[in-house]
């Protein structure tokens, strides 16, 4: 079990094994599906935690930093296969947990607009990714994530937008005009891209790069789909705030340019 998150390095053994072709696909496409990596007992605990967070916060994108007050989420984020997967795909023996986030699309919820994640995160100079677990079956009708293959290699920091309660786009963040790349209307140019989209079973995870352009389809099914996203960074990542963007995950303990190691972004070290 992990004790002091910041002052005593957490030394874990990485037992997660990945085929070289799988790692290579991830590096080329910027997103990959890993099947059946989380067992039912962990899933059952996480379902309870996720449902609790849904009761607490009534806004699609604002269910963040759940691990800080929830034991099952804390274990999953810091001492489970999730950080092992992150370290493997970041190809880094040291990672930091940036934050976690719950995404539940209920019947009738709209599509999640296309975006890439790093423009929303106070992170520069290092790789970052998401381990996105589903605790429900996800069909093409129930709001699966979609990814533009290879878009993580474009080096485009697309302009971040604000959202309304149901997760659809409201406007761009004020003051970000010209600082970021304009966000193309990817929806109208779907045929120009290779779009990856998988149906999923409980216990499957998606891994995707913080620069990969992605969104999610609307939920037109009768079933809710609950996803749990954990964001990790690799060695060398530093703190950098950009105005008002996603203030929920800013860290008052850090100054721009510092390494992320802190109580809010705990480092995790692996022996292999
Ligand atoms: O689940 C969703 O609707 C969106 C997820 C997402 O954009 C993310 O995890 O970065």
């Amino acid at each position: 079990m992990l004790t002091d998150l910041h002052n005593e390095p957490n030394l874990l053994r990485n037992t997660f094994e990945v085929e070289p072709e799988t790692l290579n696909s991830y590096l080329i496409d910027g997103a990959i599906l890993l099947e059946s990596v989380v067992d039912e007992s962990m899933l059952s605990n996480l379902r309870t935690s996720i449902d609790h967070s849904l009761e607490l916060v009534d806004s699609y994108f604002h269910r963040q930093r759940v691990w800080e007050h929830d034991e099952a989420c804390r274990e999953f984020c810091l001492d489970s296969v999730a950080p092992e997967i992150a370290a493997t795909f970041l190809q880094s023996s040291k990672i930091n947990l940036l934050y976690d986030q719950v995404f539940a699309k209920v019947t009738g919820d709209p599509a999640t607009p296309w975006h890439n994640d790093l423009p929303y995160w106070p992170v520069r100079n290092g790789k970052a990714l998401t381990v996105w677990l589903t605790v429900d079956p996800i069909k093409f009708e129930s709001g699966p994530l979609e990814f533009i293959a290879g878009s993580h290699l474009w080096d485009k920091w697309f302009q971040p937008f604000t959202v309304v309660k149901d997760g659809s786009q409201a406007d761009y963040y004020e003051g970000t005009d010209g600082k970021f790349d304009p966000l193309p209307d990817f929806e109208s140019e779907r045929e120009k891209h290779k779009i990856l989209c998988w149906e999923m079973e409980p216990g499957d995870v998606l891994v995707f790069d913080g620069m990969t352009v992605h969104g999610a389809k609307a939920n037109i099914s009768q079933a809710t789909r609950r996803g749990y996203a954990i964001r990790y960074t690799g060695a060398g990542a530093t703190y950098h705030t950009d105005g008002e963007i996603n203030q929920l995950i800013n860290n008052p303990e850090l100054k721009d340019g510092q390494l992320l190691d802190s109580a809010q972004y705990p480092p995790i070290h692996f022996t292999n």
Side-chain angles (χ1 to χ4, degrees):
M1 237 334 177
L2 297 161
T3 46
D4 187 326
L5 297 179
H6 181 29
N7 298 323
E8 274 174 32
N10 306 310
L11 251 195
L12 302 184
R13 233 173 83 67
N14 193 345
T15 56
F16 181 76
E17 285 178 14
V18 71
E19 296 294 330
E21 312 79 80
T22 307
L23 181 58
N24 208 31
S25 284
Y26 169 78
L27 295 173
I28 291 170
D29 287 338
I32 193 109
L33 169 71
L34 306 174
E35 291 176 291
S36 304
V37 291
V38 178
D39 65 31
E40 186 47 48
S41 91
M42 177 69 90
L43 287 177
S44 161
N45 292 340
L46 289 174
R47 283 190 191 102
T48 307
S49 304
I50 288 171
D51 287 346
H52 185 55
S53 85
L54 296 178
E55 282 162 19
L56 289 179
V57 183
D58 183 24
S59 178
Y60 191 71
F61 269 99
H62 287 173
R63 300 176 181 119
Q64 302 180 9
R65 298 175 60 178
V66 184
W67 74 271
E68 293 176 38
H69 51 81
D70 183 284
E71 194 48 47
C73 291
R74 178 187 174 93
E75 183 184 346
F76 188 66
C77 291
L78 294 171
D79 195 7
S80 78
V81 70
E84 294 184 20
I85 290 172
T88 303
F89 284 88
L90 286 164
Q91 301 180 283
S92 179
S93 61
K94 181 217 168 188
I95 61 173
N96 287 77
L97 168 63
L98 186 64
Y99 72 102
D100 61 341
Q101 188 164 8
V102 165
F103 290 100
K105 254 192 210 309
V106 301
T107 304
D109 269 357
T112 305
W114 294 102
H115 63 284
N116 54 2
D117 286 333
L118 262 162
Y120 295 83
W121 298 346
V123 173
R124 296 293 184 275
N125 300 318
K127 289 209 160 292
L129 59 65
T130 293
V131 175
W132 199 100
L133 166 73
T134 184
V135 299
D136 294 312
I138 302 185
K139 302 286 174 207
F140 291 128
E141 300 73 37
S142 53
L145 270 70
E146 300 187 284
F147 302 91
I148 300 188
S151 53
H152 62 309
L153 303 174
W154 297 344
D155 196 25
K156 293 277 186 198
W157 289 67
F158 290 117
Q159 187 174 11
F161 50 77
T162 56
V163 284
V164 288
K165 236 178 172 181
D166 69 1
S168 49
Q169 177 171 353
D171 208 340
Y172 292 103
Y173 278 95
E174 254 178 61
T176 56
D177 244 12
K179 283 168 96 178
F180 291 94
D181 294 292
L183 185 69
D185 179 3
F186 289 113
E187 199 50 34
S188 70
E189 50 173 66
R190 291 179 72 97
E191 72 292 344
K192 285 196 195 159
H193 303 287
K194 177 179 163 194
I195 294 182
L196 302 172
C197 183
W198 295 276
E199 294 192 322
M200 298 173 75
E201 290 301 323
D204 293 353
V205 304
L206 297 163
V207 183
F208 54 97
D209 190 289
M211 290 291 276
T212 304
V213 175
H214 62 285
K217 291 176 185 284
N219 186 349
I220 54 168
S221 78
Q222 292 310 308
T224 297
R225 66 87 162 145
R226 291 166 295 176
Y228 185 40
I230 329 295
R231 326 297 195 171
Y232 296 98
T233 57
T238 54
Y239 188 68
H240 175 92
T241 42
D242 215 325
E244 305 299 299
I245 300 166
N246 198 356
Q247 288 189 53
L248 292 177
I249 57 169
N250 284 350
N251 185 341
E253 221 186 299
L254 296 180
K255 293 196 175 33
D256 283 1
Q258 286 187 311
L259 287 177
L260 297 183
D261 299 0
S262 55
Q264 189 179 319
Y265 309 141
I268 306 168
H269 297 263
F270 289 93
T271 53
N272 59 343

